[in-house]
Amino acid sequence: MDLQAFYKDQYDKSLASKSEINSSLSTHIGILTALVAALYYASTNFDLNDSLILSISFIVFTLLAVAFLSISTYRLIKAFSDFHNGQEYAYLNDTDYLDNYYTDLVTFYSTAPDVDRESAEELAVNEFNSYLTKELIKNTAINQINNRLKTYHRFKCHQFMIYALIVLSLLVIPFGIDFGIHKGEEKVHKVKIEYPLSLILSVEYKDSVQRLTFKTSDYGKSNRKKTDTTAIITNKRRR
């Protein structure tokens, strides 16, 4: 049995499981969004001034729904977080780092006495395979623990979503009764002024007519030349 191939397969499965868990959480986000929207609609359209029993039952169911939705949201965040409380996934080093490590091993064994080039490469390969197997075991173990934690938080998120759905189903009872009571009524917004302010209006009259003063030249004397009307009449008779 090739141990390195086995651990390599487990390492690949741990990363594939991480992707599967993260993809499945999108469904939980959609359901949570719908539940929160339903709770918001019910709470903003219920009249608390109606029957006391209806109001109390509605408030109790609303508080329970808020509590369950909050816990479910918290579990969803925990399931999504890869860095919370050490939930950081482990990966193999980059290939350039691994190649440099192998080259350094070959150089190290080549400088040893009584070791030829072929033997140095064989020793380097054996040590490199041992190092790679240990890295696969360590990283796979970390990823598997993280996947179990994410799966647990996803399960808790789903569990409290079911609780919230049940409470919202019970919330429909007082909300439906209240809706039936006020069905067909027009919503009228009442405005109540508790502290009226006294306003003093002062109206001042201001003459807006502009008076223009015209000043004639030559102290009122006309600039036209005076015409001799007698001469004009005499000329007409001669004709």
Side-chain angles (χ1 to χ4, degrees):
M1 180 180 180
D2 189 351
L3 292 179
Q4 187 177 106
F6 171 76
Y7 290 122
K8 177 64 168 58
D9 180 65
Q10 295 298 312
Y11 172 77
D12 293 337
K13 287 182 178 179
S14 67
L15 295 180
S17 180
K18 171 201 170 185
S19 300
E20 183 272 329
I21 295 172
N22 288 339
S23 299
S24 65
L25 294 177
S26 59
T27 304
H28 294 72
I29 294 175
I31 297 175
L32 271 177
T33 303
L35 294 177
V36 171
L39 179 61
Y40 176 79
Y41 175 82
S43 60
T44 53
N45 288 274
F46 184 84
D47 190 0
L48 295 175
N49 295 323
D50 287 338
S51 173
L52 181 61
I53 298 177
L54 287 178
S55 299
I56 293 176
S57 60
F58 183 84
I59 292 173
V60 171
F61 290 144
T62 300
L63 292 177
L64 286 175
V66 170
F68 291 146
L69 289 175
S70 299
I71 296 174
S72 182
T73 303
Y74 170 74
R75 292 294 184 179
L76 181 64
I77 295 174
K78 293 274 288 185
F80 251 127
S81 177
D82 294 342
F83 302 98
H84 187 73
N85 292 335
Q87 295 183 30
E88 182 177 1
Y89 280 77
Y91 303 91
L92 289 175
N93 289 315
D94 296 336
T95 54
D96 56 345
Y97 176 86
L98 295 176
D99 182 68
N100 291 334
Y101 179 71
Y102 172 75
T103 303
D104 291 340
L105 288 176
V106 173
T107 302
F108 172 76
Y109 285 111
S110 297
T111 57
D114 300 331
V115 176
D116 56 7
R117 180 68 181 179
E118 183 178 354
S119 299
E121 290 181 355
E122 183 179 356
L123 292 173
V125 168
N126 292 334
E127 186 169 344
F128 180 80
N129 288 335
S130 177
Y131 162 77
L132 190 59
T133 302
K134 290 179 181 178
E135 286 293 307
L136 288 172
I137 295 172
K138 181 183 69 174
N139 295 343
T140 302
I142 294 174
N143 296 342
Q144 288 173 344
I145 293 173
N146 289 339
N147 286 336
R148 284 195 291 269
L149 287 174
K150 290 169 74 72
T151 304
Y152 171 76
H153 290 307
R154 182 181 63 177
F155 168 76
K156 284 297 182 180
C157 174
H158 187 262
Q159 180 182 13
F160 282 98
M161 276 197 307
I162 294 176
Y163 293 159
L165 181 61
I166 294 173
V167 173
L168 286 175
S169 300
L170 296 175
L171 187 67
V172 172
I173 298 175
F175 178 78
I177 296 174
D178 177 78
F179 181 81
I181 294 174
H182 297 281
K183 185 178 180 181
E185 294 182 0
E186 295 183 358
K187 293 185 178 180
V188 179
H189 298 280
K190 298 181 179 180
V191 178
K192 182 180 179 181
I193 301 176
E194 296 183 354
Y195 303 100
L197 300 177
S198 58
L199 299 178
I200 300 175
L201 299 178
S202 177
V203 180
E204 295 181 358
Y205 172 77
K206 183 178 180 181
D207 188 2
S208 60
V209 179
Q210 296 183 357
R211 293 175 173 81
L212 302 177
T213 304
F214 296 95
K215 184 178 180 181
T216 59
S217 59
D218 297 333
Y219 302 99
K221 295 181 180 179
S222 176
N223 293 329
R224 295 180 179 178
K225 294 182 179 180
K226 193 173 182 180
T227 306
D228 190 355
T229 57
T230 305
I232 294 175
I233 296 173
T234 305
N235 292 332
K236 284 183 177 180
R237 289 178 177 178
R238 291 177 178 178
R239 293 175 184 176

